[in-house]
Amino acid sequence: MSTDIEPPRTAETTEDELEALIGDRAIARDDHLNAPGFVINPDDVQDVLADLRDEAGFDHLSCLTAQQYEDRYESIYHMKKYVDPTQEVSVVVPTTLDEPTSQSAEPVFRTADWHEREAFDLVGIDYEGHPDPRRILLPETWQGHPLSLDYDQTKPQVVTLSEYENPIQPDHIDSESDTMFLNVGPHHPATHGVLHIKTVLDGETVLDVDPDIGYLHRCEEQMCQQGTYRHQIMPYPDRWDYVSSGLLNEWAYARVAEDLADIEVPEYAQVIRTMGAELCRIASHMLALGTFALDVYGDFTAVFQYAFRDREVIQDILEDLTGQRLMFNYFRLGGVAWDLPEPREEFIAQTRDFLDELPAKVDEYNDLLTTNEIFQIRCVDTGILEPEVAKEYGCTGPVARGSGIDYDLRRDDPYGYYENLEWDVVTEDGCDNYSRVLVRMREVEESAKIIEQCLDLIEEWPEDEREVQANVPRTLKPDPDTEVYRAVEGAKGELGIYIRSDGTDKPGRFKIRSPCYHNLSVLEQMVQGEYIPDLVASLGSLDIVLGEVDR
Amino acid sequence: MSNEPRQQIHDSTAPSTDTRDARIGEGLDNRFNSKLREAFGASPFILTKFDQFMNWVRGNSMFMLQFGIACCSIEMMSTYAIKHDIDRFGAGVPRASPRQADVMIVPGTIVSKFGPRMKRVYDQMPEPKFVVGMGSCTISGGPFQEGYNVVKGAEEIIPVDIHVPGCPPRPEALVYGVLKLQERIKNSESSPVVVKPYELEQFGDLPQDELVQKLASEIDEDDLVMRYNWADSP
């Protein structure tokens, strides 16, 4: 089959070039399955990362994994290129147990700010030179670092309510300044869940925002580290990005675990996966659209209900396919749980009906939203996110594509059946809230194209070759100390997972790279100097989901 | 409508006599033969106690709190939206402010940082108030029960009237749960408000132990805190 869609490639940076570039600063090699790994001293972090970015073009700090071994702490910087995410390099920074201090990478990559705060919070590594070394997911008064080895979970903890400052309390009114402090959330309709944004206002203008997250930190990484590879981990990805992106998230785990255990997935299963994942993407974008309309219009009656009407159809299709409306648990390592439901013709016809009706519905949304003057006044040229800023903060997905960054892992780092299908990566150059909405609307149409082609393939697939699962051992025990980082294109962007195996049937370290986490971190850049209604619109256009931000 | 009496009653008194006899005639339960009934004759009327009437009204006009926490809130939104449309049952207008709401659906996992906040929101709702726990997480912590940061059920913090199990429950299940709650309200039943394991207390009132002494420099004595005794959680 021909590849219809070619990713833009640049000249590959070879391992020799990398070795030459890092030179003496590499004290050892620690290769991962996905990338060459260089061990460096904690003092060289900024140096090496800056060189990799400026000399070799690794401009995307995709993830930072922190972990504790019996004898040391380790921070791993997973780096990629926005132009070609298949070129990867891992920078491994070990620190001692007694003094876990490592140089901060924040001056080189802004996105390291939140990465390192999380690493400090959960594992307990200090980053020297970090501008804001606070906890990020757990309450300020928390004792201990829960993902370190000696953490005792049964110890009591005290959590305060005082961090929710009251803006009209006398001590918050400063006679000298004319700014006002405002809490948005954690229980607020515009925050899409339990997000708390500390906002400083000058009149109606936003001077500063500080997102306070962690109100839904439900220990996803710990849960995955306690589960066995084969079946016990798969239900959790559904609950990271729970806006019916279930299959997209499951694919993230399936991809990384299949790479780790070297499992080949049958082509037929890949087609079903691709179809299911794109249905999820449509459902997810519909909800993003509906809630965004709710945010900017306060419109509970029209667009929101329309979006839910269309989502219900997809959820019915997905329920027929997987047996669940929201938490599908349909992927298995090496394939999917079962074939299409019988009678197949009915399922296919039902899905085709949905696809046939979709263009008319998209027109309806365009009439209601994107061509609507009021909507355009609210969205055009608000919440500007320049591509350079987006890259610095590690933004991916529709947020990056709305800023003209042509980056989509489905095409650039192909998996599943995407490379054999005909579709386009959608980008918009507006960099504003409006572009991000347009990207999502157009992606819905591209997803529909993909589903259409998958249905054609499924229909024609010979009956005796419909293999939905590869032969996978009952218990998976990957070789000890195998490390792999893999990402897929989730509904919100690059959803990556790092796994280190420790020789047992459970992962030694399971780290989730959440797209929403980084998309949210850029909020402060987007809203400074804007009006407060634009803050709400910008937050809505980022389309965050707190389950994935906090994990 | 005209002011003319209905034809059949105008022409003959037989229908109303029959009805009266059927209601207060011989052989029927004496309890229904009140003076009021004799005075009203066949005209239909309802006798009720005022509080029963209030409970009936309450049950049929519930203002939900718009309260999204986690995965279940997506299904909760589906329940509000078309197709399932919980408005049919008099429970459809989500209120953004707790002070205007009387039912709180808790749709998701409660973690340590959110516990005090949820308690505060619950406290802000006016009496009488009711809570529907949606999903496994509000029952026991659900799939995240073993997490270091997860409160083992909403009932550790606030009283819950109805538990809707599922992960997440289908919208139909939530509708059923809300209907069950209405039934209970109409029958004047609700969960007793008792002291829960995790309460908001002033920091100064906590029993002095190693942890409290360690935090003494960081937290003011008057600050409200919630102390989680993870070892005692079921």
Side-chain angles (χ1 to χ4, degrees):
Chain A
M1 249 182 249
S2 67
T3 306
D4 294 298
I5 175 158
E6 272 298 327
R9 298 277 186 223
T10 53
E12 196 167 329
T13 315
T14 59
E15 273 193 52
D16 292 341
E17 283 167 1
L18 282 173
E19 264 177 29
L21 182 68
I22 297 176
D24 292 343
R25 290 171 296 188
I27 47 180
R29 287 292 296 267
D30 181 11
D31 284 353
H32 300 166
L33 276 188
N34 61 306
F38 295 91
V39 183
I40 62 166
N41 275 320
D43 301 335
D44 291 333
V45 175
Q46 285 176 14
D47 244 17
V48 172
L49 261 53
D51 277 358
L52 282 171
R53 184 188 61 187
D54 301 335
E55 310 289 325
F58 288 95
D59 53 353
H60 181 28
L61 175 56
S62 178
C63 185
L64 163 61
T65 306
Q67 54 185 330
Q68 187 184 3
Y69 288 88
E70 293 295 338
D71 59 341
R72 66 183 189 280
Y73 285 100
E74 206 175 82
S75 319
I76 307 171
Y77 295 86
H78 303 274
M79 306 187 58
K80 291 184 178 183
K81 294 180 180 179
Y82 267 106
V83 285
D84 180 7
T86 55
Q87 293 185 39
E88 296 173 83
V89 60
S90 306
V91 177
V92 183
V93 189
T95 47
T96 57
L97 284 185
D98 312 328
E99 201 194 342
T101 310
S102 176
Q103 197 178 34
S104 169
E106 194 273 339
V108 189
F109 288 99
R110 270 296 288 144
T111 178
D113 180 356
W114 279 29
H115 275 308
E116 288 173 352
R117 277 176 73 186
E118 184 191 327
F120 162 71
D121 192 357
L122 300 184
V123 183
I125 302 175
D126 288 325
Y127 291 91
E128 205 176 359
H130 191 281
D132 189 15
R134 284 180 294 150
R135 285 185 181 270
I136 187 162
L137 293 174
L138 291 168
E140 289 279 303
T141 50
W142 199 264
Q143 302 296 307
H145 302 279
L147 293 183
S148 60
L149 294 179
D150 54 353
Y151 182 70
D152 181 4
Q153 206 183 313
T154 56
K155 279 198 169 162
Q157 300 283 354
V158 169
V159 178
T160 63
L161 195 70
S162 66
E163 54 190 294
Y164 315 99
E165 290 130 359
N166 181 355
I168 51 179
Q169 254 169 12
D171 60 333
H172 273 91
I173 301 170
D174 187 348
S175 56
E176 295 295 307
S177 98
D178 47 3
T179 59
M180 179 187 169
F181 175 78
L182 181 71
N183 286 306
V184 184
H187 159 229
H188 187 279
T191 56
H192 294 224
V194 279
L195 166 69
H196 177 201
I197 304 176
K198 300 173 180 167
T199 318
V200 180
L201 300 175
D202 178 8
E204 240 189 306
T205 311
V206 178
L207 289 189
D208 190 27
V209 294
D210 178 16
D212 172 25
I213 60 175
Y215 293 95
L216 196 53
H217 174 57
R218 39 188 187 181
C219 328
E220 303 271 12
E221 287 173 10
Q222 181 202 13
M223 292 295 108
C224 292
Q225 280 165 212
Q226 288 176 2
T228 53
Y229 289 108
R230 188 74 169 88
H231 290 301
Q232 291 180 351
I233 296 177
M234 197 57 96
Y236 285 100
D238 285 321
R239 289 161 179 82
W240 301 342
D241 174 0
Y242 45 70
V243 188
S244 57
S245 308
L247 295 181
L248 295 157
N249 297 6
E250 284 172 26
W251 209 337
Y253 172 63
R255 187 176 190 203
V256 70
E258 281 155 9
D259 270 13
L260 186 69
D262 203 12
I263 301 166
E264 195 70 37
V265 184
E267 284 218 331
Y268 182 64
Q270 293 284 30
V271 177
I272 297 183
R273 280 182 174 189
T274 310
M275 178 190 69
E278 291 309 308
L279 281 167
C280 283
R281 193 182 308 276
I282 297 183
S284 177
H285 283 355
M286 289 279 180
L287 190 117
L289 194 71
T291 49
F292 186 65
L294 191 61
D295 285 342
V296 297
Y297 281 173
D299 170 12
F300 194 64
T301 42
V303 188
F304 180 79
Q305 304 282 0
Y306 281 23
F308 266 82
R309 176 197 65 190
D310 299 338
R311 262 183 102 247
E312 281 293 336
V313 181
I314 305 170
Q315 287 196 307
D316 283 346
I317 295 172
L318 283 169
E319 190 182 349
D320 284 347
L321 180 67
T322 67
Q324 243 277 30
R325 273 171 62 88
L326 206 60
M327 303 301 167
F328 309 108
N329 192 18
Y330 176 59
F331 283 15
R332 298 285 182 271
L333 298 190
V336 293
W338 45 69
D339 200 354
L340 300 197
E342 292 293 344
R344 295 167 66 88
E345 295 74 29
E346 197 183 309
F347 175 81
I348 293 171
Q350 190 192 357
T351 315
R352 281 199 198 283
D353 281 350
F354 166 72
L355 295 177
D356 290 343
E357 287 165 16
L358 193 67
K361 287 173 178 167
V362 171
D363 285 347
E364 202 170 56
Y365 290 119
N366 279 327
D367 286 347
L368 269 167
L369 286 174
T370 49
T371 58
N372 182 326
E373 198 181 333
I374 303 171
F375 184 81
Q376 291 182 356
I377 291 170
R378 285 296 309 272
C379 297
V380 173
D381 278 342
T382 59
I384 299 286
L385 175 63
E386 297 294 343
E388 301 78 45
V389 180
K391 283 183 181 176
E392 221 176 291
Y393 279 80
C395 294
T396 49
V399 174
R401 292 195 283 275
S403 291
I405 300 172
D406 193 10
Y407 181 74
D408 189 323
L409 291 178
R410 290 174 290 173
R411 176 200 62 192
D412 299 342
D413 184 11
Y415 57 97
Y417 215 72
Y418 289 110
E419 51 185 336
N420 305 323
L421 304 172
E422 218 168 299
W423 57 283
D424 289 317
V425 174
V426 176
T427 54
E428 288 282 340
D429 294 330
C431 307
D432 52 6
N433 292 337
Y434 189 64
S435 302
R436 289 186 276 278
V437 175
L438 278 189
V439 165
R440 290 200 184 91
M441 297 273 295
R442 288 176 52 201
E443 268 183 22
V444 166
E445 294 171 270
E446 292 300 323
S447 295
K449 270 196 220 165
I450 297 176
I451 299 168
E452 185 89 55
Q453 295 169 52
C454 289
L455 283 175
D456 292 343
L457 285 166
I458 287 171
E459 243 178 350
E460 287 158 15
W461 213 275
E463 200 170 340
D464 48 352
E465 287 173 28
R466 288 181 195 156
E467 197 188 338
V468 291
Q469 253 216 300
N471 203 0
V472 181
R474 189 169 296 238
T475 311
L476 284 181
K477 281 189 185 169
D479 298 331
D481 272 325
T482 320
E483 297 170 65
V484 60
Y485 173 74
R486 275 269 173 251
V488 300
E489 187 73 24
K492 323 286 194 230
E494 177 177 337
L495 176 62
I497 295 175
Y498 164 89
I499 293 183
R500 173 174 58 87
S501 60
D502 58 359
T504 65
D505 56 353
K506 297 171 181 174
R509 176 81 172 100
F510 191 100
K511 161 84 183 140
I512 307 158
R513 189 264 182 209
S514 136
C516 294
Y517 188 72
H518 303 289
N519 291 353
L520 176 62
S521 70
V522 82
L523 181 71
E524 53 168 343
Q525 293 290 323
M526 291 164 61
V527 299
Q528 275 167 10
E530 302 261 5
Y531 289 127
I532 190 156
D534 297 336
L535 163 70
V536 173
S538 302
L539 186 63
S541 80
L542 287 177
D543 187 24
I544 53 159
V545 47
L546 268 299
E548 200 173 60
V549 173
D550 294 346
R551 286 150 291 144
Chain B
M1 276 180 75
S2 72
N3 286 328
E4 289 285 306
R6 282 154 64 204
Q7 192 60 41
Q8 66 269 35
I9 295 176
H10 184 70
D11 288 345
S12 153
T13 54
S16 63
T17 310
D18 288 348
T19 317
R20 189 178 63 226
D21 284 351
R23 286 192 178 142
I24 59 175
E26 297 262 319
L28 288 172
D29 191 336
N30 272 336
R31 282 176 297 172
F32 296 117
N33 295 343
S34 63
K35 289 221 164 75
L36 210 55
R37 172 59 75 194
E38 280 165 27
F40 273 95
S43 316
F45 71 97
I46 298 169
L47 272 184
T48 181
K49 289 181 189 147
F50 188 67
D51 59 344
Q52 271 178 6
F53 172 70
M54 279 308 290
N55 285 334
W56 176 78
V57 171
R58 221 166 249 153
N60 284 298
S61 161
M62 302 205 299
F63 286 85
M64 313 306 236
L65 177 64
Q66 187 176 350
F67 194 50
I69 302 178
C71 335
C72 285
S73 55
I74 303 295
E75 286 297 64
M76 188 178 75
M77 281 151 78
S78 292
T79 317
Y80 286 131
I82 50 177
K83 183 169 174 187
H84 299 101
D85 190 14
I86 201 172
D87 213 2
R88 292 174 295 165
F89 307 103
V93 188
R95 291 287 156 157
S97 157
R99 302 197 193 273
Q100 300 169 337
D102 45 29
V103 179
M104 175 161 142
I105 300 178
V106 185
T109 320
I110 314 298
V111 302
S112 68
K113 203 170 172 180
F114 196 65
R117 199 65 191 172
M118 183 176 71
K119 172 75 175 155
R120 173 52 62 88
V121 169
Y122 176 78
D123 288 344
Q124 283 173 340
M125 286 165 58
E127 294 278 0
K129 50 193 169 188
F130 307 93
V131 178
V132 177
M134 184 180 183
S136 308
C137 291
T138 61
I139 296 172
S140 64
F144 306 101
Q145 199 198 16
E146 289 163 19
Y148 50 82
N149 192 28
V150 175
V151 177
K152 278 70 182 160
E155 233 173 350
E156 306 261 292
I157 296 176
I158 57 175
V160 177
D161 293 277
I162 296 281
H163 291 285
V164 183
C167 190
R170 300 177 60 92
E172 291 90 329
L174 182 62
V175 170
Y176 180 75
V178 170
L179 288 180
K180 277 284 163 197
L181 177 67
Q182 291 181 333
E183 203 178 298
R184 291 193 59 174
I185 295 173
K186 284 173 200 167
N187 296 331
S188 321
E189 295 166 20
S190 77
S191 292
V193 178
V194 292
V195 175
K196 295 290 168 187
Y198 300 149
E199 283 283 346
L200 278 178
E201 314 167 70
Q202 286 192 332
F203 185 68
D205 294 345
L206 289 181
Q208 293 292 319
D209 62 5
E210 201 188 336
L211 173 66
V212 171
Q213 279 159 8
K214 204 168 163 187
L215 286 169
S217 58
E218 288 177 46
I219 307 177
D220 202 65
E221 285 220 330
D222 301 335
D223 279 352
L224 287 176
V225 296
M226 196 169 265
R227 186 198 156 99
Y228 296 100
N229 298 313
W230 298 121
D232 303 337
S233 283

